[in-house]
Amino acid sequence: MTRVLPTGYSPLPFSPDLGLPQQVQVRASGRSLAVKLVALTADLVATLTAPPTTPVVTDAQEESRRLASLGDPRAALTAPPPPGLDGAAVRPYLVVVDADRVVGSAPVVVGRPMAVGTSADSGLLLEVLFVDLFLAAGSLVEPGDVGSRILAGFRDPAAGHAVRPRRPAAPEGDPHDLLD
């Protein structure tokens, strides 16, 4: 299935063949921002010795992680640790830098827009959306075509796109009067 960015998002030109970490420059709110994609792994030996095409992070794992988090939270505390190259053990992170100052970072969650920065009024807020993310073990070690896919985009709130829907103002008076 071919995935595309929603309307209003400009592509972030990450190249899956370059490996991670990776950095691209974007222009948002009149500033030049560096958007970095990094991946943290707990098992360096497994990363270096695994076949380069071994899947490490996939969209399906992201979806199952979100669904599992809705279940019993005690299960996560008693579960054995995941294998070293399991998607639960390798976490991709997004880091946004403005003039050598980190303005935000967050773990990547595929399919959910991530607002990075301080506030919409400061001009540093940027919304990033990953539509497709598939990382193979080789992309964590060195550049090369190992079958990884990265499709991400950004939108600039200063360009007229709302980053988050605003909450309606709370009604004045006693809220119980509104109940019928």
Side-chain angles (χ1 to χ4, degrees), residues 3 57-60 62-63 66 91-92 107-114 129-134 151:
R3 298 179 186 199
V57 175
T58 67
D59 294 340
E62 285 293 328
E63 196 61 37
R66 271 192 274 171
R91 293 299 302 151
V108 172
V109 178
V110 177
R112 183 173 65 188
M114 299 178 295
L129 174 67
F130 280 81
V131 178
D132 189 12
L133 184 64
F134 178 88
L151 178 58

Side-chain angles (χ1 to χ4, degrees), residues 102-119:
V102 173
V103 294
S105 67
V108 172
V109 178
V110 177
R112 183 173 65 188
M114 299 178 295
V116 182
T118 54
S119 71

Side-chain angles (χ1 to χ4, degrees), residues 1 8 25 27 43 46 57 68 72 93 95 98 108 117 119 131-132 143 162 171 175:
M1 173 171 74
Q25 293 293 127
R27 195 98 185 124
D43 191 347
V57 175
D72 183 6
Y93 272 81
V95 181
D98 176 32
V108 172
S119 71
V131 178
D132 189 12

Side-chain angles (χ1 to χ4, degrees), residues 13-93:
F14 289 119
S15 174
D17 295 346
L18 294 179
L20 296 181
Q22 214 174 120
Q23 173 179 311
V24 296
Q25 293 293 127
V26 300
R27 195 98 185 124
S29 302
R31 298 172 188 257
S32 179
L33 301 173
V35 179
K36 302 177 183 201
L37 179 62
V38 299
L40 306 174
T41 179
D43 191 347
L44 185 60
V45 173
T47 306
L48 293 171
T49 58
T53 57
T54 302
V56 177
V57 175
T58 67
D59 294 340
Q61 288 171 333
E62 285 293 328
E63 196 61 37
S64 65
R65 182 180 300 124
R66 271 192 274 171
L67 294 175
S69 68
L70 299 174
D72 183 6
R74 294 173 292 183
L77 297 173
T78 59
L85 290 182
D86 185 88
V90 179
R91 293 299 302 151
Y93 272 81

Side-chain angles (χ1 to χ4, degrees), residues 84-164:
L85 290 182
D86 185 88
V90 179
R91 293 299 302 151
Y93 272 81
L94 180 76
V95 181
V96 178
V97 177
D98 176 32
D100 296 329
R101 183 175 68 102
V102 173
V103 294
S105 67
V108 172
V109 178
V110 177
R112 183 173 65 188
M114 299 178 295
V116 182
T118 54
S119 71
D121 298 332
S122 72
L124 294 177
L125 194 62
L126 182 71
E127 186 175 284
V128 177
L129 174 67
F130 280 81
V131 178
D132 189 12
L133 184 64
F134 178 88
L135 297 176
S139 63
L140 305 179
V141 177
E142 61 186 350
D145 182 6
V146 291
S148 293
R149 297 184 313 270
I150 304 171
L151 178 58
F154 76 99
R155 66 179 172 181
D156 178 2
H161 301 289
V163 174
R164 292 186 186 128

